[in-house]
Amino acid sequence: MSNSMRDLIVGEAELDDEEDDESFDEETGEARERTRTRDQDIDDSSEEDDDDDDEEEARKIREGFIVDEDDEDDDMVEDEDERRKRRKRKRRQEREEEAQLDEEDLDLIGENAPGWERKQPSQGYKRLKRGHRDEDSRGNERRGLDEIFSDEDDEPVDDRPYGRPSHRAAADEFADFIIEDDPEDEDERQRQMEDMEVARPRDKGIAGRIVDRAGLDKDALEDMEAIFGNGEDYQWALDEEEEEDERQREEQTLELKDVFEPSQLAEKLLTDEDNAIRFTDEPERFQLDRKPFEHFSIQGEQLKEEMQWIADLMWPKKQLSSDMHGPFQKSVGKVLEYFVLEGLEVPYIFQHRKDYLIDARKVRNPEHRNDPEAPEYIIEAEKLLTQDDLWRIHELDIKYRSLFEKRSVLEKTYDNLKQFANVNDDMIPEMLSRAITMEELQDMQDYINFQYAAQLKDVAAANGVAKGKKRPGAKGSIFERIRGSNVYKFVKAMGISPDRLAQNALREGQKVVSDDEPSLPIDLADSLTDSDFPTGDQVLSQARYMYAEELFVSPRMRKHFRQAFYMNGEVSCYRTEKGLRRIDESHPYYEIKYLINQTISDLARRPELFLKMMKAEEEGLIEVKLRLQNEKDFRRQLQGEFISDNYSELADAWNEERKKVLDLAFTKLERVIAKGVKDSLRTACQEELLKFCREEYSKRLDQAPYKPKGMMLGTTPRVLALSNGMGDPARDPVFWVWVEEDGRAIEHGKFGNLARDETQRKAFVELVERRKPDVIGISGFSTDTHRLVRDVESIINEKNLTTEFIESNGRESTSELLDVVVVNDEVARLYKDSPRAQTDHPTLSANTRYCVALARYLQNPMKEYAALGKDITSLVFNPCQHLLPQDKLLKHLETSMVDMVNLCGVDINEAVNDAYTANLLPYVAGLGPRKATSVIKAINSNGGVVTSRDELVGDPDNNKLPVVGPRVWNNCASFLYIEYDATNPTSEPLDNTRVHPEDYELGRKMAGDALELDEEDVKAEIDENGAGAVVRKLFREDEQEKVNELILEEYAEQLESRYNQRKRATLETIRAELQVPYEELRHPYSTLSTDQIFTMFTGETKDSLAEGMIIPVNLRLVKDDFAIAKLDCGIEGRIEAHEVSHRSNMSIRDVIHVNQTVQAKIIDLNRKEFLAKLTLREDALRRPYKKHNDHDRGTWDFRLEDDDKEALREKDKVTGRTQRVIKHPLFKPFNSTQAEEFLGSQSSGDVVIRPSSKGNDHLTVTWKVADGVYQHIDVLELQKETEFSVGKTLRIGGKYTYTDLDELIVEHVKAMAKKVDEMIGHEKFSRGSVADTEKWLTTYADANPNRSMYRFCINPKRAGYFFLCFKASRSSPINMWDVKVVPHAFEMKQAQYPHMIALCNGFKLRFNSEISKLQHMRR
């Protein structure tokens, strides 16, 4: 076998070892500096000795050990010029060193810069200078097969200063790929040397030496110097000028933004804006949330108003007694003060200001009458605000700032109108002061812009903000024309102003009745005609239009309509023509397809339902209409407020005009208000769903490490984790890993069949007995994993594998069987193939890394979730979370993590030394991702160890720089703990507790009282052993239980009476922390339920797989009395003989056979044992599965549903043929357009089986290749039993043959989909269009003229095809070869390649063959 063919089969052809000084940016196509590879530093052996001597000599000169011989004089004394030059050289070297970016910053940026790597310090001395001939000769060497289109694209660029370009014409499209050798002709070589000589820079003169270029002799030169001088008198000026230039160059420091793209800096949070956040002494989350409103602050009366606004919004949902309303408002106000004035975050307030979140009252103890020893008074406390409420207040604080900003703008606008246009409208300040929503403020803005449009233009002109000049003869808006004409007199003749009518509707003030004009409307209109509106009908029409518009923009009328829609609005769904076929009974939107008459309160109880409606409406599948339940009554009531009470022909005429006006206004108001209410309802439903997701995430975070038997809660277990991955544990390897308490994967390996292979069972027992794990964790990707669980449990029971532990009494030792736990693998699935996993464990396989993540999840679920970062939104917390904005979802999930991290605290020294623990730092109160990196960097600069919490704000005595500012420190101090070292007399025990440094004195006082020390004893102890001496004494003497004897009520009363500090809850926290510092407060580890395990292993939920469903199954075993089938999800199904056919005289083998795919109905589903009972009886299959529908006639349009089903059963309108129906879950009665629309929102690789226009002996399979690209595959059916049954043989293209649809989908479509995924995931694939790929190649060639490059891109016009685009050099054209995706392979030039490596190498081989043929032809 040739080397080239071996490269094609085994791996990608070996690439060139040398790299140029430039690499290529995969995103932009631009060149950038590149580091040399190790091979570049290796010189050929013939020059090694000389190089070593040169290097050693150069090193000594550089380090000052010897002096260059040319500069050394007899007395070894340097003159002043030489010393000056040395100083300048030294300063220049220092500037170059300072200009180098910090290594950590370079590493941080380099993570996401494709092809970029930081230069590593060389391991040995390299040649100081390399001859240009060597480089030229290397650059001219012709590249072989292994170097053509190498993936590193590392052909050296010719660095010669001058080169003679080739003027030879290209023979064909491949001519530019042939690289010329060095010229062999001596004359040509001589010409090149002359060119290089011309390019050589001339020697420059130096100060103090004059080169004789005028032909003067020595005496003449001396005479000239005597007369004019030699210039040394002015040397000082030249030196000062040079030093000034050096100073300016020193000030021009190199910054990150000078080196990296803004997008890269933004991704790594290293922009100037990020640095400003990083170094501002304010909690990071506050800075980000308040960024749009940083130009103003809220204080005084505004703060009180905000408190009232928030309390009013929150109170209706708080189930508190009415007498708690006052304390609730005070509590909200106090929290706002902490947020706004003191800059305290939610965790700090919840932990250290808990007394202000409860209402505590001292009441008489009823038991004191019967028991004199019982306390006379007791404390009754009621919780006013929860931690969730604190986050809600924070969210509303941001909303209020937006509200306040918009209101301020409107108030300023009105002030300008009063000042410059003499506008006096009492309604504006009144309504502005009462506006509590953005909708109401928007109503005010619309009103002002409509009512005072002309005045606003005058104000703008007065302020110098003219919006352009009017054209001569141009007219204003129609409304301005009406206001300036006689028509407006008719508007006023309606008898009541629009605002007064709205007040009547809102029942504000005393009702005002409309007055009728003394003349008929038409007569009045005729009398008000003018040049603009010359007829009475025009006057009538424009007057109605004007009054209706004034009603439409009336803030009070909009408020009246909005209240009516919120109270009496009904939402109904109407499917569109697109949704008629698209939404079938298996579609997730079917539950809303015919939903009608849903009230606002109904949707509030099921927020995901309305979000589905809005999403379906966006996709054009349904139309969501919001109407009033009692629209007729509402109209009648509004007319009653408008019409006059008079009874006459005149009054009837005017009332008729008023009704026409209301009809005009009603339509416009209904449309705008309905849209606003729908938007508000969507926001409210999103908030409810976000709350559900946050609560679910909090439950998953609120799990302590798995508790080893006999240990305290919070103890980290030693874990043995196993997984079969996607394999069958009976045939495929079972991966395992052993993880210690510190999270290190110490040992790993594979087991064989643990069920039957005794050797493997013994190996498992030996491992367990040697490692003695606390728990065994198992998980996997398939239903076969539950068999692995049973195998391991059987070994443990059979071999009596136990874990020993000490009983709680501390005396007796006991043992119990090892626990086997099925681990939630949602984090492990994301981890195993992630870059982080590959960095952590580069030598481990993906399945072994998966086991590592399982073990770590058992050891600390919170850390595993924290390590996901933004990928946390990939996890499923609610089936409808995809309907939520992802940024909002991420923010709400982060609040759960913030709560839990601050509950558990973070060991700051561990976080500095362990990147895994450091993932928790961004969630600590006061910090964030920017400040967390700054904290770690600052601690490392201080020595890498924190010895006390106070040290974080700086310790000048010990040369410790501040890590955070005072305000951030106040937030984070108590949540960053430092392990107490009893052997270190300076170690502060309270630094290892949840007690805040501001309360350390309280803790020390409680410790002293518990030890019964008087003030003199306490003082003596402190004087001798420092401030923490008393607490250390309490710990040393093991007297922590004595703090339970303290009466904390007396402490609390003294603190409140003397210092006005409410600390009752804080004192309880101190007491608990003095007994058990940072006690584990999370709930015990939660094992998965049966349904959760079933869903995890199968991917099926109760909605996707349930009793009564008809599904395809594959028969694996057929006996005389039963059959075994396999469902698509992997579980087994059993079919009894009587469930195959209703005919008793027929053998089961006559009806079904092995490997046959049939439709079956689920009779029973055992989720614990992963078993299903099935039936194949025709009478059962004729009854389709129907989801439980609890809708009544008033909320579901049954009539329309029946009509639509009947319409779909009719003949196809286009072909006139009966619509073909096939019992397969992927079959849809679609045409090609409908199939593409259906697959548009689906994932790549999804399939639809549909009827074919070629007749009933054909089917069409449509699958999604990529976004906007769909392939329609024609399937010929052979051996058909009836016209409408599926053929027993299915053939595609006369080449591929399958026995059933399921085999066709798996072996043909899914196989091609995998190849497409492989292509798209390859590093040489460009996701843009063909034009983008050509542009990229052109840019690359311009930046690297002598390099070659190829890229793959999708062919959007031919589904299933890709382009292989390549360009050999800058002057060569871009060529394209077609690459076709076929099942299990790629096809190019009529040759198939099994994978991308083979395809790339095949291209290189094919291209090299073309080059060889071309060269042969030219000879």
Side-chain angles (χ1 to χ4, degrees), residues 207-249:
R209 173 192 280 178
I210 299 179
V211 180
D212 181 15
R213 296 178 182 172
L216 300 176
D217 58 16
K218 184 176 180 181
D219 293 338
L221 289 173
E222 290 179 353
D223 292 340
M224 184 177 68
E225 287 184 8
I227 297 172
F228 298 104
N230 60 6
E232 291 181 354
D233 295 340
Y234 303 99
Q235 183 66 36
W236 62 272
L238 297 176
D239 291 342
E240 286 187 358
E241 183 178 356
E242 186 175 350
E243 290 175 0
E244 179 63 26
D245 291 341
E246 288 185 5
R247 271 197 302 272
Q248 292 178 359
R249 283 194 293 269

Side-chain angles (χ1 to χ4, degrees), residues 424-489:
N424 189 11
D425 190 337
D426 294 336
M427 190 266 287
I428 294 177
E430 178 188 353
M431 294 297 291
L432 280 178
S433 62
R434 292 162 56 182
I436 60 173
T437 64
M438 291 298 292
E439 290 84 357
E440 291 176 340
L441 289 178
Q442 185 61 46
D443 294 343
M444 291 302 303
Q445 183 174 336
D446 293 344
Y447 170 78
I448 292 173
N449 290 338
F450 172 79
Q451 198 70 27
Y452 303 107
Q455 291 86 337
L456 286 173
K457 292 179 182 177
D458 295 339
V459 170
N463 292 330
V465 193
K467 296 185 179 181
K469 298 180 180 178
K470 290 185 177 181
R471 298 189 307 273
K475 297 182 179 180
S477 70
I478 183 66
F479 302 113
E480 292 179 28
R481 290 169 56 202
I482 292 175
R483 284 197 188 97
S485 68
N486 291 332
V487 175
Y488 204 66
K489 295 178 181 178

Side-chain angles (χ1 to χ4, degrees), residues 269-284:
L269 306 178
L270 291 171
T271 64
D272 292 340
E273 188 175 287
D274 293 319
N275 289 331
I277 295 174
R278 187 175 281 112
F279 300 117
T280 300
D281 186 25
E282 192 75 20
E284 183 169 326

Side-chain angles (χ1 to χ4, degrees), residues 694-829:
R694 170 182 150 78
E695 290 174 353
E696 177 59 30
Y697 187 35
S698 295
K699 292 177 183 177
R700 300 184 196 181
L701 290 174
D702 192 10
Q703 297 182 84
Y706 178 85
K707 178 181 173 295
K709 293 177 180 178
M711 298 293 183
M712 289 180 57
L713 185 65
T715 304
T716 304
R718 298 166 299 178
V719 182
L720 175 63
L722 297 90
S723 176
N724 62 311
M726 284 292 294
D728 182 349
R731 294 189 297 269
D732 300 312
V734 173
F735 298 84
W736 62 267
V737 67
W738 165 258
V739 180
E740 286 282 4
E741 298 101 317
D742 56 5
R744 291 181 301 124
I746 302 298
E747 188 179 359
H748 64 91
K750 300 177 185 177
F751 290 125
N753 189 342
L754 292 176
R756 298 180 180 178
D757 191 334
E758 192 60 32
T759 303
Q760 297 300 311
R761 292 166 70 89
K762 288 180 180 179
F764 176 81
V765 173
E766 185 275 331
L767 175 65
V768 171
E769 291 178 344
R770 176 165 53 86
R771 286 299 185 180
K772 299 187 182 305
D774 296 314
V775 62
I776 296 177
I778 301 178
S779 199
F781 314 140
S782 68
T783 54
D784 292 326
T785 306
H786 86 280
R787 287 195 287 147
L788 175 61
V789 175
R790 290 188 307 194
D791 294 343
V792 172
E793 288 176 341
S794 69
I795 297 177
I796 291 174
N797 289 321
E798 179 184 334
K799 304 297 183 181
N800 194 30
L801 299 179
T802 61
T803 178
E804 295 185 358
F805 57 93
I806 306 298
E807 290 284 1
S808 57
N809 57 21
R811 299 175 184 175
E812 298 180 4
S813 175
T814 186
S815 62
E816 291 184 9
L817 289 176
L818 266 174
D819 283 342
V820 178
V821 177
V822 178
V823 186
N824 185 344
D825 72 340
E826 59 183 358
V827 179
R829 293 192 185 208

Side-chain angles (χ1 to χ4, degrees), residues 79-221:
D79 59 13
E80 186 64 29
D81 288 342
E82 185 63 26
R83 286 197 297 272
R84 184 184 300 112
K85 291 176 183 177
R86 287 184 180 277
R87 286 198 301 270
K88 290 178 180 178
R89 283 199 297 269
K90 183 178 180 182
R91 285 197 296 269
R92 190 177 297 111
Q93 183 179 357
E94 291 174 351
R95 286 199 307 272
E96 292 173 353
E97 291 175 354
E98 291 174 358
Q100 296 298 321
L101 290 170
D102 183 76
E103 290 185 359
E104 293 182 2
D105 293 336
L106 289 171
D107 287 336
L108 191 60
I109 290 296
E111 290 176 6
N112 278 358
W116 184 92
E117 60 180 3
R118 180 166 55 84
K119 289 185 178 181
Q120 301 296 329
S122 59
Q123 300 301 318
Y125 294 113
K126 308 300 177 186
R127 280 196 300 174
L128 297 179
K129 186 176 181 180
R130 179 176 288 162
H132 66 270
R133 288 186 178 86
D134 283 347
E135 294 182 356
D136 291 347
S137 62
R138 267 199 325 277
N140 287 330
E141 290 177 359
R142 183 177 173 276
R143 304 177 73 183
L145 168 64
D146 293 344
E147 297 162 340
I148 294 178
F149 290 111
S150 64
D151 287 348
E152 278 76 12
D153 306 302
D154 50 3
E155 180 183 355
V157 177
D158 193 353
D159 290 329
R160 289 176 295 180
Y162 284 84
R164 189 178 297 275
S166 173
H167 301 286
R168 184 178 45 168
D172 56 19
E173 65 183 52
F174 297 104
D176 293 318
F177 288 86
I178 302 174
I179 303 174
E180 295 184 28
D181 296 329
D182 287 336
E184 297 180 1
D185 183 34
E186 187 63 32
D187 294 337
E188 179 64 19
R189 183 180 290 107
Q190 184 63 31
R191 282 195 297 272
Q192 288 191 6
M193 295 297 293
E194 289 173 0
D195 288 341
M196 295 172 64
E197 184 64 27
V198 171
R200 183 179 300 166
R202 302 301 180 188
D203 294 335
K204 296 181 179 179
I206 60 174
R209 173 192 280 178
I210 299 179
V211 180
D212 181 15
R213 296 178 182 172
L216 300 176
D217 58 16
K218 184 176 180 181
D219 293 338
L221 289 173

Side-chain angles (χ1 to χ4, degrees), residues 10 27 30 66 359 362 661 717 908 917 1005 1011 1134 1300 1307 1381:
V10 176
E27 298 294 332
E30 300 293 338
I66 64 175
D359 180 62
K362 193 173 183 179
V661 168
I908 183 61
T917 305
K1005 176 74 167 61
L1011 292 172
R1134 183 180 177 92
D1300 57 48
E1307 295 299 327
V1381 176

